[in-house]
Amino acid sequence: MKRWTLSLMVALWATLVGSGAGWAQQRVVPSAAATPTVQQALRSAQAALRANRATGLPSDVQDAIRATNFRRAGERAMRRTTARVAARVAARQARIASGGGISGTAIFGAPSPGLTVEAVKDNEDGAVVVIGSTVTDAAGAYTISNLAAGSYYVRAAEAIYYPSAFDISDATRVIVVDGQITPNIDISFDFGGGNVSIAGTVTHPDGMPASGVTVTAYDDLGFEQGFGQSDETGTYQINDLPDGRYYVAVDRATTVIF
């Protein structure tokens, strides 16, 4: 009985391998009751079918099988890539959500509202990269949130670095820890008073003196540092300025004073 079963199953294998176009519709499943020799024969038959080695298989069918296999392989690769990207995005969002922050006050002579305050890093090539930013409130206070743990430089108005430096090389690094706000990072620059004066004359387009015109001196950051008013001869003077460079503005006309 076993010899007859073995002969029958081997014959079935030979029929399947040589069946041509009918191959694509056949399915060979080893029986649990079959002998080890028969099971091995059936597995070999399946391997031959999977490897597209069946004799008489039309070329267009082989091409279709190859195309299907390539498509399925591409779909599997795309699913794996999508899953990896999603995992990385989720991990980054989790780090940001659990990140820390920096808070303080911008004081340029007095608490300064409406200033942009940034947490930045410097690249190897010296470029400054903005990581996070905010704007000071009416009291000059700020908080930059959602920063990953690490070290940063903090600057205000794209010019003054914490604590009071014009260049990043002179600035102090600020350490951020996950889940915490690093406080009291106050950026300050005291312009103070001085004994420098700016004087000049305001005239109309026809050259006649312009009296009663307010002339304002601004520093490099755009903050007003002093003003004066022209007299009947068009002469004005702005006093008590510290050393530095100023922009003097009269209406829409602006002159750079060194």
Side-chain angles (χ1 to χ4, degrees):
M1 182 65 177
K2 292 182 179 179
R3 181 179 303 171
W4 179 86
T5 302
L6 175 60
S7 300
L8 176 60
M9 299 307 290
V10 172
L12 174 59
W13 175 33
T15 301
L16 290 173
V17 172
S19 61
W23 165 85
Q25 300 178 0
Q26 300 295 335
R27 184 181 182 190
V28 181
V29 180
S31 170
T35 65
T37 303
V38 172
Q39 292 180 3
Q40 180 61 40
L42 291 175
R43 282 193 290 269
S44 298
Q46 288 177 318
L49 293 175
R50 286 195 297 268
N52 299 332
R53 291 197 297 266
T55 59
L57 192 64
S59 60
D60 58 341
V61 174
Q62 295 185 36
D63 292 340
I65 291 173
R66 293 190 188 96
T68 300
N69 290 339
F70 282 130
R71 177 179 57 79
R72 290 176 179 173
E75 291 173 349
R76 288 193 296 271
M78 181 61 71
R79 286 195 295 270
R80 288 194 296 268
T81 300
T82 301
R84 286 196 295 268
V85 171
R88 291 174 182 173
V89 171
R92 176 173 175 78
Q93 290 176 339
R95 287 196 301 271
I96 292 176
S98 63
I102 301 170
S103 68
T105 305
I107 305 173
F108 289 179
S112 305
L115 285 182
T116 298
V117 180
E118 301 164 320
V120 304
K121 290 180 176 289
D122 56 335
N123 286 340
E124 294 180 356
D125 59 1
V128 175
V129 180
V130 177
I131 307 300
S133 65
T134 188
V135 176
T136 57
D137 62 17
Y142 73 91
T143 298
I144 305 174
S145 304
N146 297 329
L147 295 175
S151 64
Y152 300 84
Y153 294 104
V154 181
R155 70 178 180 183
E158 300 184 0
I160 305 296
Y161 289 87
Y162 169 77
S164 181
F166 280 103
D167 192 275
I168 194 170
S169 62
D170 298 322
T172 300
R173 289 183 180 271
V174 178
I175 304 300
V176 173
V177 179
D178 278 341
Q180 299 181 22
I181 299 294
T182 303
N184 303 320
I185 305 303
D186 298 331
I187 309 170
S188 63
F189 191 84
D190 187 5
F191 293 97
N195 55 5
V196 175
S197 298
I198 298 174
T201 303
V202 182
T203 60
H204 291 290
D206 59 6
M208 295 298 293
S211 62
V213 176
T214 299
V215 182
T216 305
Y218 297 92
D219 60 32
D220 278 341
L221 298 179
F223 291 101
E224 178 183 327
Q225 293 299 315
F227 64 90
Q229 195 169 49
S230 61
D231 59 20
E232 65 277 2
T233 64
T235 301
Y236 72 90
Q237 183 167 317
I238 305 172
N239 299 316
D240 301 324
L241 296 173
D243 292 341
R245 186 174 69 170
Y246 296 91
Y247 296 86
V248 178
V250 177
D251 296 331
R252 295 185 180 181
T254 302
T255 304
V256 179
I257 305 296
F258 294 92

